[in-house]
Amino acid sequence: MCRHLAYLGPPVPLARLLTEPPRGLYEQAWRPRRQRHGTVNADGFGVGWYLPGPAAAAPEDAGESAAGSAAGDDGFARPARYRRAVPLWADENAVELFRAVTSGAVLAAVRSATAGTTQDESAAAPFRDGRWLFSHNGAVPDWTRLPTTLPSAELLAMEARSDSALLWAMAVHRLRQGEPPGGVLAAVVREVAAARPTARLNLLLTDGRTIAATAWGDTLWYRTGPDHVLVASEPDDAPGEWHEVPDRSLLLATTAGVRVIALRPVRTDSK
Ligand code: GLN
C-alpha cells in the first residue's frame, strides 16, 4: 500500500504540502499512522504539479466536466513529474526541489510496492496522460489475470508492470472517451471489485482543476479552507480540520467545495 495526496489552491511551495507538515507525506514514507496494509512506503515516490491555471470549476461540475487529453487545448498546462525508485527520505535533491517549486495543483505519492510488480520509477505514481495525474493506494489480487475489455494495444502501452498501471490504463481508456473523472473512477472500482472482491482500490485523479478520489479498502481524508482543498490518505498535523471519508465512497473536490458520494455495493454473485 501507499500513501498519496492531492492539493488544489493558491500556489505554495511543494515543501509546504509534502515535507514540512508534521506527520505529512514525508513522514508517512516511514511512519504512516493509519495505513491499513504494509508498514513503510520505501519503494519510491513521485510528485506531479501544474502551472497555475484558470479559476476552479464549481463542485457540481467536478463529476461532469469534459475529460481527457483528447479534449484538446483548454488552457491547462501538462503537469510536470518527478519520480524516483528510492525512498523519499533518501533523496536530498527532492527535498531541495520541493522548497524551490511552487504550484497550486499537486498530486504526490509514496510507494510500498506489491510483490511481482515493476520496481523502477515507472511504477511510481503519479501516472500521467495529458493533463491527468493518477495514483492508486491498494492492491488487486491476481491482477495479471484480471478480466478486462481493454484493447491489447492499450495493455501493451502500460507504463509499468503493476496492478496500479493496469488500473490507470483502464481509467485512461474511459477518460479518452470523454467520461467524467468521478464516473471513471467509480466504473473502474466497480469493474475490478466485481472480479476481485478483496481488491483495495483507493484511487486519486486530478487534472489540476478538480480532484476525484475513492475510498475502497484503505483510509481517505480531506481538509478544506476558504481557497484550497487537500485530499490525503491520512491527516498531517498542520493546522486545520480533517474529515474522514467513509469506506466505499467517491469524493469529488474543487477549491469551491467537496462532495462525498456513497458507492453502491458491487454484485459479485455472478463471478
Ligand atoms: N500495488 C501498487 C504498487 O505496487 C500500489 C501499492 C500501494 O498502495 N503501495 O505500486
Side-chain angles (χ1 to χ4, degrees):
M1 300 294 285
C2 315
R3 302 277 83 181
H4 55 205
L5 70 73
Y7 166 84
L8 301 174
V12 292
L14 301 186
R16 186 89 52 85
L17 303 169
L18 306 179
T19 40
E20 285 172 10
R23 304 297 197 165
L25 197 72
Y26 186 71
E27 258 185 78
Q28 289 166 27
W30 73 86
R31 190 167 47 192
R33 284 187 291 183
R34 298 176 187 269
Q35 191 164 320
R36 297 207 181 121
H37 301 268
T39 47
V40 292
N41 300 295
D43 299 318
F45 68 93
V47 55
W49 65 94
Y50 298 77
L51 296 176
E60 305 77 52
D61 297 341
E64 280 81 43
S65 59
S69 51
D73 181 11
D74 52 11
F76 289 101
R78 190 167 185 263
R81 278 189 304 181
Y82 181 83
R83 301 186 297 165
R84 296 291 310 278
V86 299
L88 176 50
W89 66 81
D91 185 347
E92 284 179 27
N93 293 325
V95 175
E96 195 147 333
L97 183 77
F98 297 164
R99 283 201 295 265
V101 173
T102 292
S103 177
V106 178
L107 191 152
V110 288
R111 181 177 185 221
S112 167
T114 300
T117 58
T118 299
Q119 299 295 308
D120 66 41
E121 70 197 31
S122 66
F127 297 97
R128 178 175 64 186
D129 186 72
R131 64 191 167 123
W132 296 100
L133 293 176
F134 172 86
S135 170
H136 166 226
N137 164 206
V140 180
D142 199 16
W143 63 273
T144 55
R145 286 185 291 178
L146 187 74
T148 163
T149 53
L150 275 187
S152 51
E154 291 177 31
L155 287 171
L156 288 167
M158 270 168 52
E159 235 182 294
R161 192 189 135 79
S162 74
D163 50 356
S164 307
L166 177 60
L167 297 173
W168 176 226
M170 294 166 73
V172 166
H173 183 77
R174 291 176 178 276
L175 288 169
R176 287 185 180 162
Q177 290 175 349
E179 293 183 31
V184 166
L185 294 195
V188 170
V189 166
R190 281 203 193 94
E191 189 178 336
V192 176
R196 297 288 184 272
T198 58
R200 300 191 302 272
L201 299 164
N202 281 42
L203 311 179
L204 185 60
L205 175 69
T206 186
D207 59 358
R209 186 176 65 158
T210 68
I211 295 169
T214 57
W216 193 277
D218 211 314
T219 54
L220 186 71
W221 294 68
Y222 69 90
R223 191 180 77 195
T224 56
D227 55 0
H228 71 270
V229 58
L230 186 59
V231 178
S233 302
E234 61 180 64
D236 59 27
D237 282 350
E241 192 190 347
W242 286 89
H243 305 275
E244 186 165 15
V245 178
D247 197 39
R248 305 285 193 265
S249 305
L250 171 69
L251 173 148
L252 300 172
T254 68
T255 54
V258 173
R259 281 197 299 164
V260 175
I261 302 158
L263 288 170
R264 286 192 304 277
V266 175
R267 283 177 57 117
T268 55
D269 49 3
S270 60
K271 301 285 163 186

